Amino acid sequence: MGQRNRLQYIILGLLNQHPQTGYDLAKAFENEIGEFWQAQHSQIYPMLKRLEAAGEISHEDTVTGEKLAKKKYTLTSAGREKLVTWVSQPSPELTPSKDEFILKLYFIKTANDPRIQPMLREQYQLHQSQLHHLQQRQETVFPNQKAIDQAYGHYLILDHAIERESHYVEWLAQYLEK
């Protein structure tokens, strides 16, 4: 299933949480969803039109301020049914990650290549920073067991991301020159 096909389910899932504007949906890709899936405005807005044309979402025009009209999207029963069906289906394929650093490493021939240590240091710093960010998000979004219980899948994803980054940092550290 292509990224564009999955985007429809992400939007349906986000709207299942509560009605949102296109802007709100785009912001979700900067925070929680953005930790594991990317989408741009140029993908989100056309998908909203398609989902609405298919009867899976609807919108209500709202006015904020004096003149700013916004469309607030809501999931329809058809959209909810489609989301439930998709979530219930198996996910039998592994999606390859697109990691430019790993791709570059593939083309390094020897352990004494002068580019390796700067690359490792840069990635170590980036992944340390990402790990810190994720840990902060976990503390903010899930301050107690009640918050975890109310969004358990989200908690699992964040916990997975923390584990992934922790492992990545450990892996980089073992190849960094001391």
Side-chain angles (χ1 to χ4, degrees):
M1 181 182 297
Q3 182 170 349
R4 183 165 285 254
N5 289 337
R6 289 185 181 119
L7 178 59
Q8 66 184 318
Y9 298 110
I10 296 169
I11 290 172
L12 293 174
L14 289 170
L15 293 177
N16 191 48
Q17 294 174 344
H18 55 85
Q20 298 183 58
T21 65
Y23 177 80
D24 296 332
L25 293 166
K27 293 300 276 183
F29 286 94
E30 293 177 16
N31 294 312
E32 307 311 323
I33 299 290
E35 300 294 348
F36 59 93
W37 205 270
Q38 300 295 310
Q40 306 302 318
H41 286 85
S42 60
Q43 298 168 295
I44 294 168
Y45 286 96
M47 184 59 70
L48 287 169
K49 287 181 182 176
R50 275 184 244 141
L51 291 169
E52 190 163 27
E56 294 161 354
I57 64 172
S58 61
H59 82 270
E60 180 180 305
D61 289 321
T62 60
V63 178
T64 56
E66 291 185 25
K67 296 182 182 178
L68 185 58
K70 292 182 177 184
K71 292 181 179 182
K72 187 159 254 184
Y73 294 93
T74 305
L75 195 62
T76 65
S77 58
R80 190 168 288 104
E81 186 176 318
K82 184 174 182 172
L83 176 64
V84 167
T85 300
W86 175 72
V87 170
S88 302
Q89 293 173 346
S91 301
E93 61 189 48
L94 294 175
T95 305
S97 77
K98 295 180 179 179
D99 185 331
E100 185 178 359
F101 166 66
I102 297 298
L103 181 61
K104 287 178 178 180
L105 282 182
Y106 182 80
F107 296 106
I108 301 279
K109 299 282 185 211
T110 64
N112 60 358
D113 187 304
R115 298 170 292 183
I116 286 210
Q117 286 303 309
M119 290 169 68
L120 291 172
R121 277 191 299 277
E122 175 187 58
Q123 290 298 307
Y124 183 82
Q125 290 171 347
L126 290 170
H127 286 276
Q128 276 282 64
S129 177
Q130 179 67 357
L131 176 58
H132 179 72
H133 164 75
L134 292 169
Q135 290 167 332
Q136 294 256 336
R137 290 294 304 153
Q138 188 175 48
E139 289 173 18
T140 301
V141 177
F142 299 106
N144 54 45
Q145 189 62 45
K146 183 180 178 186
I148 293 170
D149 293 343
Q150 290 176 339
Y152 191 64
H154 182 176
Y155 173 78
L156 289 176
I157 291 165
L158 193 49
D159 188 61
H160 171 264
I162 289 168
E163 290 295 321
R164 179 196 64 225
E165 290 302 320
S166 295
H167 183 268
Y168 211 129
V169 166
E170 289 171 16
W171 175 77
L172 288 163
Q174 72 182 334
Y175 292 102
L176 278 170
E177 289 178 354
K178 306 293 181 220

